[in-house]
Amino acid sequence: DRETSGCLLLAKNRQILAKLHEMLRHETVIHMEKTYLALVNGRWQQGNKTIDIGISKVKRGGEHIMQIDKAGDRAISHFEPLEIFDGEGSAACSLMKVTIDTGRTHQIRVHAQHSGHSIIGDSKYGNKESNQFFRKMGLKRLFLHARQLYLPLSDPITIQAPLSDELEVLLQKLRQADS
């Protein structure tokens, strides 16, 4: 997803790229662990939650979007609340750790929306009013960050990426407003 920051896995050649795609899409060889941080709208009160529901692509208004579809490609996302920010109205939000077992297009964004807590800054699946509020706070992008990628190979590889300054600053503002 182009709008997501964080870990990026690159292949040295086309043969390796094809193998990586196969592993990511079908997880036939190894089970990669993909961990994200997402800031979602509202106070998450569902505890740790797994969303296991299909996603399919549809065309709306000339653009392709993904939507929940029980007959679509299976998608599994695990949501774990890390911090709840009690701000009033549009300021209420929750920092989530999200791990995914599948790698569908816009999977986390669609599953977050389906749970009633769209990702902040999401212009495609998000809440317009909330996005405007957080834009005024300095957020100019989607708050979805690929935090860690773990490949359990014979010589395991862990790739980690810290949050950008922009996202860290926003979290600090939210923490200060809550104290």
Side-chain angles (χ1 to χ4, degrees), residues 62-166:
E63 78 171 323
H64 285 97
I65 65 164
M66 305 305 286
Q67 70 177 16
I68 294 296
D69 179 359
K70 291 179 182 177
D73 292 329
R74 187 175 189 197
I76 305 168
S77 303
H78 307 280
F79 290 81
E80 177 185 333
L82 299 176
E83 278 184 83
I84 309 289
F85 300 101
D86 290 324
E88 294 301 317
S90 296
C93 56
S94 304
L95 181 65
M96 307 296 292
K97 174 183 170 186
V98 185
T99 55
I100 58 174
D101 291 350
T102 52
R104 308 289 177 231
T105 302
H106 298 174
Q107 174 178 325
I108 296 170
R109 296 164 70 180
V110 173
H111 279 173
Q113 178 194 41
H114 178 70
S115 75
H117 298 274
S118 60
I119 297 177
I120 291 180
D122 192 339
S123 60
K124 193 171 271 201
Y125 306 100
N127 177 296
K128 200 175 208 176
E129 181 182 304
S130 177
N131 288 349
Q132 289 173 345
F133 176 85
F134 282 95
R135 182 168 281 283
K136 289 177 186 170
M137 286 188 72
L139 183 67
K140 295 175 177 39
R141 53 167 295 233
L142 175 71
F143 198 122
L144 181 60
H145 178 77
R147 177 183 188 177
Q148 182 173 297
L149 180 61
Y150 174 72
L151 296 102
L153 304 169
S154 56
D155 188 13
I157 298 171
T158 300
I159 303 163
Q160 295 181 330
L163 280 175
S164 68
D165 290 343
E166 177 185 10

